[in-house]
Amino acid sequence: MKTNKSTFGTGHQMNSHNSITNEHFTFVNRSMFLDGHVDLGINAGIQIKEKHFIELGFSSDHSSIGRSLLTNSIFNDYETGENYTSNTYSHNTVSIHYWRISADYHNNFWKNQKGTIAFRSMSGIGILLNPSGNTNYSGNGSANGLGLLGKDDFGFGINNESYGNDEMHQIKPDVFLTDYVSKIEIHRGISPYVKFGLGIDFSTKDDFHLFSFDVSYLLSGRIVQQQESRITVMDNGVETNYRYSQSSIGSGLYFTLSRKFQVYPWLPLKKNKREKI
């Protein structure tokens, strides 16, 4: 579950909010959300005595920005003379791939009598690396089509296949969404982070490890992804430009499913098996 923060406003007046609502639309920054990615990694570690474990790891990771938009559309039925509402909702996430290098410490602080379930506390440090370098994504398009942000993958604006990019999107009589512009910046370099959490190890009665499940929070130290969105509204000839800035530092709540394999030493394992026989 990734996290990001945002500022909203018009012109140069920007305030920190998770959502903003006006008479035309509601723009929501999703401060915590599932970004839909499953990342893989591998760790190598060593156990010190019975309760302490240190490991180094390498895995893939993502920074993500999520936002939702609800447009409030009101039209007049000229045959009946009645107004009707046709609202449009869209939700988008933009995720950038990173590599994660970690160094973690685990402390086994509780185990049940059978030895089948054990709890661990964990803490760690590491860095996030952007494999693609410093890249800027930018684009613009009209506000036409179902879902104003429906085709905004990686910031390349809105494409209306039926009417082209020059059409305006009418949401009320004499009120139009005339343009949507989005720009995404990916920041190159190294972003350090800290991590803390809890883990559970599941084993058989013979101390054969089955799997582990961890929940941890990663807090990064610098912005790695930033996006600025602008929506232009033409209301009875008066134009207003709304500006929204969202940023991600690569932080998030991680759910990890893992399996341990002991690769050294081999001799004590074989000796224990012979003694049991």
Side-chain angles (χ1 to χ4, degrees), residues 141-234:
S142 75
N144 253 310
L146 294 176
L148 180 60
L149 303 180
K151 294 183 179 296
D152 184 40
D153 294 336
F154 292 95
F156 285 105
I158 311 303
N159 293 317
N160 185 1
E161 298 178 357
S162 299
Y163 301 100
N165 285 337
D166 296 330
E167 299 291 332
M168 295 185 296
H169 181 59
Q170 183 177 6
I171 57 175
K172 296 178 182 179
D174 297 321
V175 180
F176 301 87
L177 297 180
T178 61
D179 196 23
Y180 170 75
V181 179
S182 181
K183 179 181 180 181
I184 300 173
E185 294 183 0
I186 303 173
H187 298 275
R188 181 176 56 186
I190 296 175
S191 177
Y193 71 84
V194 295
K195 183 176 74 172
F196 51 90
L198 292 173
I200 308 176
D201 299 322
F202 297 91
S203 305
T204 64
K205 293 181 180 180
D206 297 330
D207 201 28
F208 179 78
H209 180 257
L210 297 175
F211 66 93
S212 298
F213 180 74
D214 299 350
V215 179
S216 59
Y217 185 76
L218 186 152
L219 179 62
S220 182
R222 64 186 292 268
I223 294 176
V224 295
Q225 176 186 349
Q226 187 165 339
Q227 177 166 338
E228 182 176 278
S229 303
R230 298 188 182 188
I231 300 175
T232 303
V233 176
M234 183 71 70

